[in-house]
Amino acid sequence: MTHKLLQRQVKRLLGVADDAQLSALLAEFQVLAQREDVSDAARRGLLEIGSLLAQVNESYVQSDRALELSTRSLELSSDELGQANDSLRDEAQARDLALKTLRDTTNQLLAPLGQHIGEDDQSLGRLTQLLSGLVHDFLETRHSAEAALVKVQNQQFALDQHAIVSITDELGRIIYANEKFCEISKIAHYELLGKDHRIVNSGLHSREF
């Protein structure tokens, strides 16, 4: 017998103190089974008791193995459950961080409009809808600005083709002159910048011109 619990139970049942006494008692059973005054039933019992104990021992061993596997399975399940909880907690924290970032970004965009979303607003759908509206308005504004810029550029082109144009600062210093101005004055653009309009009295043209 190898199972400790079974050994203790058999020793207690048979009144023996140690393995040596138990082995001696089992050997004595074998000797008694050979006596002629023993009944057939008793002989079979004495001869088979060792086999019976071996079968019971194997049952104990198998039971312990099954219990160990069950315990290990429960431990694995517990570990997996813990990992799943950790994963869900991490996902929740990531979601909260993403929601906070999205809310802060939305508030930065809403600030010029005098609007604000409080921290109690946890609706991702509402934030997404607001951002979508802001992006739509921005795209429309940019489209209008681009169209206006093209219009201004076209007007400037037409003006440059047919008129002399210059712009000065508040002190009368030239800060812009178009190509037609340079062409008529015979003065390069870089020479005009920072000068006042007296520079055009270069003597290259008559006063009437």
Short mmCIF file of all heavy atoms in Angstrom, two decimals, residues 1 12 25 27 29 37 46 49 62 76 85 92 128 147 153 159 171 184 208-209:
data_model
loop_
_atom_site.label_atom_id
_atom_site.label_comp_id
_atom_site.label_asym_id
_atom_site.label_seq_id
_atom_site.Cartn_x
_atom_site.Cartn_y
_atom_site.Cartn_z
N MET A 1 0.84 -1.20 0.00
CA MET A 1 0.00 0.00 0.00
C MET A 1 0.87 1.25 0.00
O MET A 1 1.83 1.32 0.76
CB MET A 1 -0.92 0.04 1.23
CG MET A 1 -2.01 -1.03 1.23
SD MET A 1 -3.02 -0.93 2.71
CE MET A 1 -1.84 -1.37 3.97
N ARG A 12 -5.13 1.21 12.02
CA ARG A 12 -6.05 1.45 13.13
C ARG A 12 -7.07 0.31 13.23
O ARG A 12 -7.43 -0.14 14.33
CB ARG A 12 -6.75 2.80 12.94
CG ARG A 12 -7.64 3.18 14.11
CD ARG A 12 -8.09 4.64 14.03
NE ARG A 12 -8.81 4.93 12.81
CZ ARG A 12 -8.33 5.67 11.82
NH1 ARG A 12 -7.12 6.18 11.92
NH2 ARG A 12 -9.06 5.90 10.73
N LEU A 25 1.52 -9.06 9.74
CA LEU A 25 0.14 -9.53 9.90
C LEU A 25 -0.42 -10.07 8.60
O LEU A 25 -1.08 -11.12 8.56
CB LEU A 25 -0.74 -8.39 10.42
CG LEU A 25 -2.21 -8.74 10.69
CD1 LEU A 25 -2.32 -9.87 11.72
CD2 LEU A 25 -2.97 -7.51 11.18
N ALA A 27 1.33 -11.36 6.18
CA ALA A 27 2.02 -12.64 5.94
C ALA A 27 1.39 -13.74 6.79
O ALA A 27 1.26 -14.91 6.35
CB ALA A 27 3.50 -12.49 6.25
N PHE A 29 -1.70 -13.86 7.69
CA PHE A 29 -2.96 -14.24 7.04
C PHE A 29 -2.72 -15.32 5.99
O PHE A 29 -3.52 -16.25 5.83
CB PHE A 29 -3.60 -13.01 6.38
CG PHE A 29 -4.21 -12.04 7.37
CD1 PHE A 29 -4.54 -10.75 6.98
CD2 PHE A 29 -4.46 -12.42 8.68
CE1 PHE A 29 -5.10 -9.87 7.87
CE2 PHE A 29 -5.02 -11.53 9.58
CZ PHE A 29 -5.33 -10.25 9.18
N ASP A 37 -7.90 -26.56 9.11
CA ASP A 37 -9.11 -26.34 9.91
C ASP A 37 -9.80 -25.01 9.56
O ASP A 37 -10.74 -24.60 10.23
CB ASP A 37 -8.78 -26.38 11.39
CG ASP A 37 -7.71 -25.36 11.76
OD1 ASP A 37 -7.04 -24.83 10.84
OD2 ASP A 37 -7.56 -25.06 12.97
N LEU A 46 -8.71 -14.72 3.58
CA LEU A 46 -7.33 -14.49 4.00
C LEU A 46 -6.40 -14.34 2.81
O LEU A 46 -5.45 -13.54 2.84
CB LEU A 46 -6.87 -15.65 4.89
CG LEU A 46 -7.55 -15.74 6.27
CD1 LEU A 46 -7.20 -17.07 6.95
CD2 LEU A 46 -7.14 -14.57 7.14
N ILE A 49 -7.24 -10.83 0.91
CA ILE A 49 -7.23 -9.54 1.61
C ILE A 49 -6.16 -8.61 1.08
O ILE A 49 -6.34 -7.39 0.98
CB ILE A 49 -7.07 -9.76 3.14
CG1 ILE A 49 -7.29 -8.42 3.87
CG2 ILE A 49 -5.69 -10.34 3.47
CD1 ILE A 49 -7.40 -8.58 5.38
N GLN A 62 -6.43 6.99 -7.30
CA GLN A 62 -7.21 7.57 -8.41
C GLN A 62 -8.07 8.73 -7.92
O GLN A 62 -8.20 9.76 -8.60
CB GLN A 62 -8.09 6.49 -9.06
CG GLN A 62 -7.32 5.41 -9.79
CD GLN A 62 -6.60 5.96 -11.01
OE1 GLN A 62 -6.96 7.00 -11.56
NE2 GLN A 62 -5.55 5.25 -11.43
N LEU A 76 -6.99 27.17 -12.36
CA LEU A 76 -6.84 27.76 -13.70
C LEU A 76 -8.04 28.64 -14.03
O LEU A 76 -7.89 29.74 -14.59
CB LEU A 76 -6.67 26.66 -14.74
CG LEU A 76 -5.34 25.89 -14.69
CD1 LEU A 76 -5.36 24.74 -15.68
CD2 LEU A 76 -4.17 26.81 -14.98
N ASN A 85 -11.10 39.77 -15.62
CA ASN A 85 -11.50 40.97 -14.87
C ASN A 85 -10.48 42.08 -15.06
O ASN A 85 -10.84 43.26 -15.20
CB ASN A 85 -11.63 40.62 -13.38
CG ASN A 85 -12.89 39.83 -13.08
OD1 ASN A 85 -13.88 39.92 -13.81
ND2 ASN A 85 -12.86 39.04 -12.02
N ALA A 92 -12.02 49.37 -19.54
CA ALA A 92 -12.86 50.45 -19.00
C ALA A 92 -12.04 51.72 -18.77
O ALA A 92 -12.50 52.83 -19.06
CB ALA A 92 -13.53 49.99 -17.70
N THR A 128 -19.61 62.47 -30.33
CA THR A 128 -19.34 62.20 -31.74
C THR A 128 -20.21 63.07 -32.63
O THR A 128 -19.75 63.60 -33.65
CB THR A 128 -19.58 60.72 -32.05
OG1 THR A 128 -18.78 59.91 -31.18
CG2 THR A 128 -19.23 60.40 -33.49
N ALA A 147 -13.14 79.73 -51.73
CA ALA A 147 -13.83 80.35 -52.87
C ALA A 147 -13.61 81.85 -52.87
O ALA A 147 -13.38 82.47 -53.93
CB ALA A 147 -15.33 80.02 -52.80
N GLN A 153 -8.08 86.56 -55.69
CA GLN A 153 -6.93 86.36 -56.56
C GLN A 153 -7.25 86.71 -58.01
O GLN A 153 -6.42 87.30 -58.72
CB GLN A 153 -6.44 84.91 -56.45
CG GLN A 153 -5.77 84.58 -55.12
CD GLN A 153 -5.44 83.11 -54.98
OE1 GLN A 153 -6.02 82.27 -55.68
NE2 GLN A 153 -4.52 82.79 -54.09
N LEU A 159 -6.69 93.26 -61.87
CA LEU A 159 -6.21 94.59 -61.52
C LEU A 159 -4.75 94.76 -61.93
O LEU A 159 -4.36 95.79 -62.49
CB LEU A 159 -6.37 94.82 -60.01
CG LEU A 159 -6.12 96.23 -59.50
CD1 LEU A 159 -7.12 97.21 -60.10
CD2 LEU A 159 -6.19 96.26 -57.97
N LEU A 171 3.41 105.48 -42.83
CA LEU A 171 4.42 106.51 -43.05
C LEU A 171 4.67 106.78 -44.53
O LEU A 171 5.55 107.56 -44.89
CB LEU A 171 5.74 106.10 -42.38
CG LEU A 171 5.69 105.94 -40.85
CD1 LEU A 171 7.04 105.48 -40.32
CD2 LEU A 171 5.24 107.23 -40.18
N ILE A 184 5.98 100.02 -65.59
CA ILE A 184 5.84 101.41 -66.02
C ILE A 184 6.95 102.27 -65.43
O ILE A 184 7.53 103.13 -66.11
CB ILE A 184 4.46 101.96 -65.62
CG1 ILE A 184 3.35 101.18 -66.34
CG2 ILE A 184 4.36 103.45 -65.92
CD1 ILE A 184 3.41 101.26 -67.86
N GLU A 208 4.49 114.98 -67.74
CA GLU A 208 3.16 114.72 -68.26
C GLU A 208 2.81 113.24 -68.20
O GLU A 208 1.69 112.85 -67.92
CB GLU A 208 3.08 115.23 -69.71
CG GLU A 208 3.14 116.74 -69.86
CD GLU A 208 4.54 117.28 -69.71
OE1 GLU A 208 5.49 116.42 -69.67
OE2 GLU A 208 4.71 118.50 -69.59
N PHE A 209 3.80 112.36 -68.46
CA PHE A 209 3.57 110.90 -68.42
C PHE A 209 3.19 110.49 -67.01
O PHE A 209 2.29 109.69 -66.80
CB PHE A 209 4.82 110.15 -68.91
CG PHE A 209 4.66 108.65 -68.87
CD1 PHE A 209 4.07 107.99 -69.95
CD2 PHE A 209 5.09 107.90 -67.82
CE1 PHE A 209 3.93 106.61 -69.96
CE2 PHE A 209 4.94 106.53 -67.79
CZ PHE A 209 4.36 105.88 -68.87
#
